[in-house]
Amino acid sequence: MMTPSNFSFKKSTTGKSSMIKRLISSSALLLPSIALAEESINGADTAWILTATALVLFMTIPGLSLFYAGLARSKNVLSILMQCFSLTGLMSILWFVAGYSLAFGEGNGFIGDLNNLFMANVTKGSISGTIPESLFAVFQMTFAVITPALIVGAFAERMKFSAMLLFSSFWLFAVYAPVCHWVWGGGWLSELGVLDFAGGIVVHITAGVAALVCALVIGNRKGWPQTAMPPHNMTMTVTGAGMLWVGWFGFNAGSALAADESAAMALIVTHLAAATGSLTWAACEWKKFGKPSVLGSVTGMVAGLGTITPASGSVSPAAAIVIGFTAGIVCFYATITIKQKLKIDDSLDVFPVHGVGGILGSLLVGVFCASELGAFSGYGFGGDNTSIGSQLEAQLIGIVSVFAYTAVVTWILLKLVNAITGLRVDEEQEAQGLDLALHEEKGYDI
């Protein structure tokens, strides 16, 4: 880079005016070099990802926290809020210590290396694309926060707080970080051309499958399903759902990692899928039960959001309507199957909404990414895939491998934690409620 020392100024005989002209001329020569030094950081991109990062964190606290807490019984409302709040802190620290390095370190096709422990290489001047690497790292941190928090809904009202913290810590390193590396960190699924724009595989399938395994291993709540256990505060749930809807714009549109046309398209398809999913679920309830419920409307919205997530950077608005519509129907019947037919107490429907939605969206992107579908045309295949068939094959490999890996490792981790601390509170604590039993507090003093 040129510096003022590269320039020699001849002594002027024409006074102050001549000197000013030469200084202006010399400064002009410096400008291209200064611009080249700074052009790798884009202010618009940085500003948008700063905003998106806040939005994704907003999804967990307070969005998911309120959504889940309202769905629980009143004697467990604080325990849900405590779990989400504590996971936000714990996962953030663990991501800083080793999670970021394992997910995005060079490593190999399966896992990143440990060369970036404690984010030692993330400096004020390090850059990722057109944004500071520190911003990229914290944006990804918010995804690492919300994914274990989603699993909370499966074992709500019956897992020990200590067991929840220990399991989530192990799970971040053993499941989330490797799968994140496979898909987003240059791992083997990335090489295969698997499409997952914002986390259908990395977030929703891993969380959904882990939730299903947790529900099976820890068992049903005492008295369920013989005794109805309805949400205690739907107002709280709807408030949290609204926050999730808004925050999801950061989740999906932020995954473009730029303030550009991809972010804008991701935002509109996200919104359309959420709207369609909500209305479709309500319509399914209306037809089957005679009345549409508020709970169904907000759950359908979340199903639409989870299903569009892997496809949000690859499909058109018309395709988003189809994806949201499909999500509303498929996730609605998946919930009925899990709860009423299989009698699995996935308390807050994590697997049928997030897991099934993530699987569905990860398959549908393989179709709607194609560019020869008229109004439903997408924006191209991943990697070396050149047809719907080859892309669907890659997507199916990604889905099956992540499903199987997550299920097996989650089961092992649950057994390990059970041996260390035990997983479940005793019957007396469960009957009393976790708010008092584990935290000596009540959500409502009435």
Side-chain angles (χ1 to χ4, degrees):
M1 176 179 174
M2 292 184 179
T3 66
S5 62
N6 298 125
F7 296 91
S8 60
F9 296 100
K10 294 184 178 179
K11 185 175 180 180
S12 175
T13 58
T14 57
K16 185 183 293 186
S17 177
S18 178
M19 178 62 75
I20 292 173
K21 288 180 181 178
R22 285 198 297 273
L23 288 173
I24 293 173
S25 178
S26 298
S27 299
L29 291 173
L30 288 172
L31 290 177
S33 298
I34 295 171
L36 285 173
E38 296 180 352
E39 67 179 359
S40 54
I41 291 287
N42 183 284
D45 294 347
T46 300
W48 164 233
I49 303 305
L50 284 166
T51 304
T53 299
L55 285 170
V56 182
L57 183 61
F58 183 74
M59 289 174 65
T60 304
I61 49 170
L64 184 69
S65 305
L66 292 174
F67 183 78
Y68 274 180
L71 294 174
R73 288 173 289 178
S74 59
K75 63 183 179 180
N76 294 306
V77 58
L78 282 185
S79 72
I80 299 295
L81 293 171
M82 179 66 168
Q83 288 173 5
C84 291
F85 207 87
S86 299
L87 283 176
T88 299
L90 180 60
M91 296 302 105
S92 296
I93 298 299
L94 296 180
W95 185 254
F96 159 73
V97 172
Y100 179 63
S101 187
L102 290 171
F104 292 98
E106 190 169 334
N108 51 50
F110 183 77
I111 191 70
D113 55 38
L114 293 174
N115 290 334
N116 207 2
L117 286 178
F118 302 100
M119 294 189 187
N121 300 321
V122 180
T123 65
K124 186 176 181 180
S126 56
I127 297 168
S128 178
T130 60
I131 63 175
E133 187 183 6
S134 57
L135 178 55
F136 174 76
V138 75
F139 178 67
Q140 293 297 336
M141 178 188 288
T142 60
F143 285 70
V145 164
I146 197 170
T147 308
L150 288 171
I151 305 172
V152 165
F155 50 69
E157 305 189 311
R158 59 202 190 276
M159 183 180 269
K160 291 181 178 179
F161 184 64
S162 57
M164 183 278 301
L165 293 175
L166 193 58
F167 166 73
S168 299
S169 300
F170 290 157
W171 193 87
L172 178 75
F173 292 135
V175 177
Y176 182 82
V179 173
C180 184
H181 184 76
W182 297 359
V183 180
W184 293 338
W188 70 279
L189 289 181
S190 174
E191 293 292 327
L192 198 62
V194 170
L195 294 174
D196 185 11
F197 189 74
I201 294 174
V202 176
V203 175
H204 295 288
I205 291 180
T206 60
V209 172
L212 180 62
V213 175
C214 284
L216 289 170
V217 171
I218 201 168
N220 297 347
R221 288 168 291 179
K222 295 300 179 183
W224 188 92
Q226 293 79 15
T227 303
M229 299 179 182
H232 89 280
N233 191 329
M234 277 304 302
T235 303
M236 183 182 290
T237 292
V238 174
T239 301
M243 293 173 178
L244 285 171
W245 193 335
V246 173
W248 223 290
F249 294 139
F251 199 89
N252 285 1
S255 293
L257 297 175
D260 61 10
E261 65 278 6
S262 293
M265 187 58 72
L267 189 147
I268 189 172
V269 299
T270 297
H271 186 66
L272 290 173
T276 308
S278 176
L279 293 171
T280 302
W281 190 299
C284 289
E285 284 189 327
W286 208 339
K287 180 179 179 181
K288 188 172 182 64
F289 304 119
K291 295 178 181 179
S293 72
V294 176
L295 177 58
S297 294
V298 298
T299 305
M301 176 272 296
V302 175
L305 289 170
T307 306
I308 194 61
T309 291
S312 53
S314 306
V315 304
S316 68
I321 295 289
V322 176
I323 290 172
F325 177 75
T326 308
I329 296 174
V330 173
C331 294
F332 171 75
Y333 284 103
T335 300
I336 290 176
T337 300
I338 293 291
K339 283 283 181 70
Q340 297 183 9
K341 295 185 178 180
L342 299 181
K343 308 295 183 184
I344 298 172
D345 190 14
D346 178 354
S347 309
L348 309 184
D349 302 323
V350 185
F351 177 73
V353 175
H354 295 277
V356 172
I359 292 169
L360 181 62
S362 297
L363 282 174
L364 291 178
V365 67
V367 176
F368 290 112
C369 68
S371 57
E372 304 88 9
L373 302 175
F376 300 94
S377 295
Y379 306 110
F381 301 105
D384 296 327
N385 298 307
T386 57
S387 66
I388 291 176
S390 61
Q391 188 62 58
L392 279 174
E393 181 181 357
Q395 297 301 117
L396 191 59
I397 291 172
I399 292 166
V400 172
S401 60
V402 171
F403 192 110
Y405 177 81
T406 301
V408 171
V409 176
T410 299
W411 184 86
I412 293 171
L413 294 178
L414 288 168
K415 294 298 182 180
L416 176 62
V417 172
N418 189 49
I420 297 172
T421 66
L423 286 173
R424 187 165 179 156
V425 298
D426 60 40
E427 291 189 20
E428 182 180 347
Q429 290 174 317
E430 188 173 344
Q432 182 184 26
L434 303 192
D435 291 0
L436 281 172
L438 300 184
H439 306 294
E440 283 294 330
E441 296 172 296
K442 293 191 296 182
Y444 306 99
D445 194 16
I446 53 174

